[in-house]
Amino acid sequence: EIFPTLTPLAFDPGHPFPHISNLSLNLAIVVSEDSKRKRFARLKIPDIFPRLIKIPQQDFHKKNIHSKEVRFVWIEEIIAANLDMLFPGIEVMAVYPFRITRDADLEIEEDEASDLLSTVQESIGMREFGSVVRLEINRSMPKIVQEILTSNLKIGSQQIYRFEEPLGLSSLMELTRLERLDLKEPVYWPALPPILNNNNDLFATIKQNDLLLYHPYDSFNPVVELLNQAAKDPHVLAIKQTLYRIGNNSPIVQALMEARENGKQVAVLLELKARFDEENNIEWAQALEKAGVHVVYGVLGLKTHAKMCMIVRKEPEGGITRYLHLSTGNYNVVTSRIYTDLSYFTCDPVLGADIVELFNALTGYSRKETYDQIIVAPHNMRTAFINKIDREIEQHQKNGNGYLAFKMNSLVDYECIKALYRASQAGVKIDLQVRGICCLRPGIPGISEQITVTSIVGRFLEHTRIYYFHNNGDPEVLIGSADLMPRNLDRRIELLIPIRDPRIRQALCNILQIHLKDTTKARILQTNGSYRLRKPSDNEAAFDSQAWMIKNRGLFLNTNPESLKHLNLPDICIKKTVEPENE
């Protein structure tokens, strides 16, 4: 079955070096017609077959094999073992797997593009021809074969990455399709907060109280249902929304198109340049435009990464109310089950006025850069962050209780890192939860001794952004779409919002503390850049924050910190019990 699909490509004066496609798995083959003359050939492993080929059970020759046991062989090993069929009469002397990565970052000259949509479509087709940025090889590949590849791919030795076989381990995801529940995480169902149970009118619920959902522990369905209700509600006048990564068969987009069909004014800012989602977003843009939705492709020269939805409703009793959904994650039903993100629902009039102004800036020619509550990149987010860190330094010098706790995906920005170093040198205690890249070095004597950095990589992708400033006991908590990276602060439209509701602010503090206590999935960044697994101390039980959230989903929203006392959480974020309003 495999043999007829294989195409060996020789490389010699009569055969040019073949094009190597991005992320394809290849074999570099050395053959010889006689003992002296060696030739080179390249063979691409076809991606039309599974990478892991299941061995039929009747071929097992061992006795007492467990009935559930399944065995696989890598497809490239099958091909390598049978290369004599491809090169009859020629000796196959050696076989070396290799893989390349091409630059897939689309460079679009937006100011020269007459039509951004068609320009992005054309650019997608060029992705396969981007320059090579990485060559992955097996450690056993000899220098002469490496030189053939590097000279023809036009890369330097610093772009070579040497691994043991096999390469491209993402193919192991194929194993997740096995019907082996004993090897998988227990199935769980996201919770629906009690306030939303048996309550069909989300507008009335939001008008009574701000709401916070923590996905995937809380269901994403209320987000979809809010838009579905808005599409059908005769009192809704308009919907405005940003979309970044939407996914396939999106119920969010379907609701927006239904709203337009029902006579609502619908405007969508759809980011065509969301990397690797360009094709999907182009299809949705065309479908939305066909339905009559006002579609804007973004701001010239910037990506729109802010996550926000505004529903304008004329209340039955009179007056206009702006209902907001503001998020740290994408409007994507699939990723909402595996990414941890926050959904914040409010009809705060001041916040609503800010979001109106921001949408006007995104869709029109408004040059507004400062707002009453929200912080927007690229205008003033870095400055606002540094000012808040400097305020914490001042408060600590006066009162001695300075504390910062940030939870984010990445920390790269040079100026923000310098500000955190200054805070540490002033004695401010800083807890950073950075799931991915962190360019700050904790624990440097005299510079960052007060800073700890942990990273949690577990069942769910930690995608939430929470920024806590103690502010001498009057804490300020921000959530939003931005990490502290130059690309977020300088080249994207990002949104951070302050949480003023004391109940929700306390819930966010609880989330921070629960993840800071993790001794199962958390790793601590060392001064030299390495990580070590955080382990429980003597007489302390291991604590898995994600597993705790699954088991106790909703409890972190409890307004009474006493309910979390058994966890022995640090009390620096916990304030006195806040009486819920309109409970």
Side-chain angles (χ1 to χ4, degrees):
E1 293 178 11
I2 298 171
F3 178 78
T5 68
L6 300 178
T7 305
L9 297 174
F11 174 57
D12 56 35
H15 299 85
F17 190 81
H19 174 75
I20 312 295
S21 52
N22 186 39
L23 298 179
S24 63
L25 185 64
N26 303 269
L27 298 180
I29 306 166
V30 180
V31 298
S32 176
E33 292 182 276
D34 53 52
S35 58
K36 297 181 179 179
R37 191 175 181 185
K38 295 179 181 178
R39 296 180 180 272
F40 175 85
R42 172 260 186 168
L43 180 64
K44 179 180 178 180
I45 304 298
D47 56 10
I48 55 177
F49 301 105
R51 176 87 185 279
L52 293 164
I53 306 298
K54 185 177 178 181
I55 301 175
Q57 281 201 318
Q58 60 265 31
D59 291 351
F60 290 172
H61 298 298
K62 291 184 177 180
K63 296 181 180 180
N64 302 319
I65 292 177
H66 194 280
S67 61
K68 287 186 177 181
E69 186 169 314
V70 183
R71 297 187 180 191
F72 297 87
V73 63
W74 297 97
I75 188 172
E76 64 268 24
E77 292 181 354
I78 295 176
I79 294 170
N82 292 279
L83 285 176
D84 57 317
M85 297 171 64
L86 281 175
F87 300 95
I90 298 178
E91 181 185 2
V92 177
M93 302 188 69
V95 183
Y96 307 101
F98 71 93
R99 187 171 179 258
I100 68 165
T101 303
R102 293 186 178 274
D103 181 4
D105 193 10
L106 303 178
E107 294 291 338
I108 299 173
E109 298 296 336
E110 295 180 53
D111 54 345
E112 299 177 7
S114 58
D115 181 351
L116 183 59
L117 189 144
S118 60
T119 302
V120 172
Q121 284 178 309
E122 293 171 8
S123 300
I124 293 169
M126 298 302 295
R127 193 167 257 160
E128 277 298 316
F129 301 94
S131 59
V132 178
V133 295
R134 178 176 65 172
L135 170 64
E136 298 173 69
I137 64 172
N138 181 267
R139 292 187 189 278
S140 63
M141 181 182 285
K143 190 172 183 180
I144 187 170
V145 178
Q146 291 182 40
E147 289 175 349
I148 292 173
L149 293 175
T150 55
S151 62
N152 286 278
L153 294 172
K154 296 180 172 56
I155 61 172
S157 58
Q158 76 279 5
Q159 292 170 281
I160 299 176
Y161 292 75
R162 297 168 178 81
F163 300 98
E164 299 296 336
E165 292 186 57
L167 305 179
L169 289 176
S170 60
S171 299
L172 289 172
M173 287 294 289
E174 294 176 14
L175 295 177
T176 63
R177 293 196 286 269
L178 287 174
E179 293 298 324
R180 288 292 301 273
L181 295 180
D182 57 314
L183 298 178
K184 298 182 180 182
E185 296 276 10
V187 176
Y188 88 101
W189 295 102
L192 191 64
I195 196 171
L196 298 179
N197 281 332
N198 304 315
N199 190 333
N200 296 323
D201 189 346
L202 282 170
F203 294 112
T205 303
I206 296 169
K207 200 163 188 180
Q208 184 179 11
N209 274 308
D210 289 0
L211 299 176
L212 180 73
L213 299 180
Y214 190 25
H215 313 301
Y217 313 106
D218 287 321
S219 173
F220 191 73
N221 287 344
V223 181
V224 178
E225 183 58 25
L226 179 64
L227 281 161
N228 284 333
Q229 289 187 21
K232 299 176 177 66
D233 190 330
H235 302 291
V236 168
L237 305 179
I239 303 173
K240 297 185 179 185
Q241 183 158 5
T242 60
L243 295 175
Y244 192 73
R245 299 190 191 277
I246 318 165
N248 299 319
N249 303 316
S250 170
I252 298 287
V253 177
Q254 297 294 340
L256 292 170
M257 291 192 290
E258 182 183 354
R260 183 67 198 105
E261 291 165 4
N262 290 337
K264 322 294 184 190
Q265 292 293 315
V266 182
V268 171
L269 194 151
L270 196 154
E271 182 50 72
L272 292 182
K273 304 184 296 296
R275 194 177 303 166
F276 305 121
D277 275 322
E278 297 95 345
E279 290 179 275
N280 194 44
N281 286 4
I282 286 171
E283 290 181 13
W284 281 125
Q286 293 169 334
L288 285 164
E289 287 180 330
K290 189 175 180 180
V293 173
H294 298 297
V295 180
V296 180
Y297 298 142
V299 178
L300 192 66
L302 301 171
K303 281 187 180 181
T304 302
H305 193 243
K307 327 292 185 181
M308 56 186 180
C309 174
M310 179 178 69
I311 299 167
V312 181
R313 188 172 188 258
K314 184 175 177 58
E315 303 298 339
E317 63 273 14
I320 296 291
T321 300
R322 289 165 292 217
Y323 293 88
L324 305 175
H325 173 261
L326 306 167
S327 177
T328 65
N330 299 304
Y331 289 98
N332 188 313
V333 174
V334 174
T335 58
S336 72
R337 296 195 289 264
I338 52 177
Y339 287 21
T340 71
D341 272 307
L342 296 165
S343 277
Y344 179 53
F345 302 82
T346 184
C347 58
D348 182 314
V350 180
L351 199 54
D354 275 357
I355 298 299
V356 167
E357 295 277 11
L358 179 54
F359 269 115
N360 290 341
L362 296 179
T363 60
Y365 285 114
S366 166
R367 294 186 177 274
K368 188 173 181 65
E369 297 184 355
T370 58
Y371 301 83
D372 286 337
Q373 287 193 36
I374 64 176
I375 303 172
V376 178
H379 305 307
N380 60 354
M381 190 171 284
R382 179 185 288 106
T383 301
F385 250 101
I386 293 173
N387 287 344
K388 292 178 189 298
I389 293 171
D390 288 339
R391 180 190 64 189
E392 198 67 28
I393 294 172
E394 292 176 13
Q395 294 281 19
H396 181 75
Q397 290 170 340
K398 293 177 184 177
N399 305 291
N401 58 1
Y403 180 66
L404 302 171
F406 297 168
K407 183 175 179 63
M408 67 192 100
N409 292 252
S410 302
L411 174 57
V412 175
D413 187 71
Y414 178 70
E415 295 298 328
C416 290
I417 290 173
K418 282 205 305 181
L420 290 169
Y421 283 156
R422 287 200 307 272
S424 174
Q425 289 172 309
V428 176
K429 178 174 169 52
I430 304 170
D431 286 324
L432 302 177
Q433 300 175 32
V434 187
R435 187 254 307 166
I437 298 168
C438 181
C439 295
L440 177 148
R441 292 175 59 196
I444 302 174
I447 297 176
S448 56
E449 290 170 296
Q450 296 296 318
I451 304 176
T452 63
V453 181
T454 55
S455 172
I456 294 177
V457 179
R459 176 174 182 174
F460 305 120
L461 182 92
E462 293 289 338
H463 197 248
T464 310
R465 288 97 168 182
I466 305 173
Y467 300 99
Y468 174 93
F469 302 84
H470 187 62
N471 194 29
N472 192 33
D474 182 20
E476 182 176 12
V477 183
L478 305 170
I479 65 170
S481 59
D483 294 307
L484 300 186
M485 304 179 73
R487 73 177 189 191
N488 297 86
L489 302 178
D490 297 327
R491 302 190 296 276
R492 291 184 175 185
I493 302 294
E494 300 279 10
L495 174 65
L496 288 176
I497 60 168
I499 300 300
R500 299 195 300 171
D501 186 313
R503 300 170 304 115
I504 293 180
R505 197 164 56 214
Q506 180 62 61
L508 294 169
C509 290
N510 294 345
I511 291 171
L512 283 172
Q513 293 174 99
I514 289 166
H515 287 298
L516 283 169
K517 185 178 171 59
D518 195 295
T519 55
T520 302
K521 302 296 184 184
R523 284 160 174 79
I524 303 174
L525 178 60
Q526 307 298 293
T527 305
N528 65 2
S530 65
Y531 286 83
R532 66 173 176 84
L533 184 66
R534 173 188 273 169
K535 296 181 179 179
S537 58
D538 295 341
N539 303 318
E540 181 186 12
F543 183 75
D544 184 333
S545 58
Q546 292 189 353
W548 188 94
M549 285 288 185
I550 291 175
K551 183 179 179 181
N552 299 277
R553 52 192 186 271
L555 183 57
F556 62 87
L557 276 172
N558 193 310
T559 57
N560 185 359
E562 296 297 318
S563 64
L564 301 174
K565 213 164 187 180
H566 66 286
L567 294 177
N568 296 318
L569 299 174
D571 62 2
I572 194 159
C573 292
I574 291 181
K575 300 292 124 191
K576 64 181 181 180
T577 301
V578 179
E579 295 297 332
E581 299 175 7
N582 303 320
E583 192 67 48

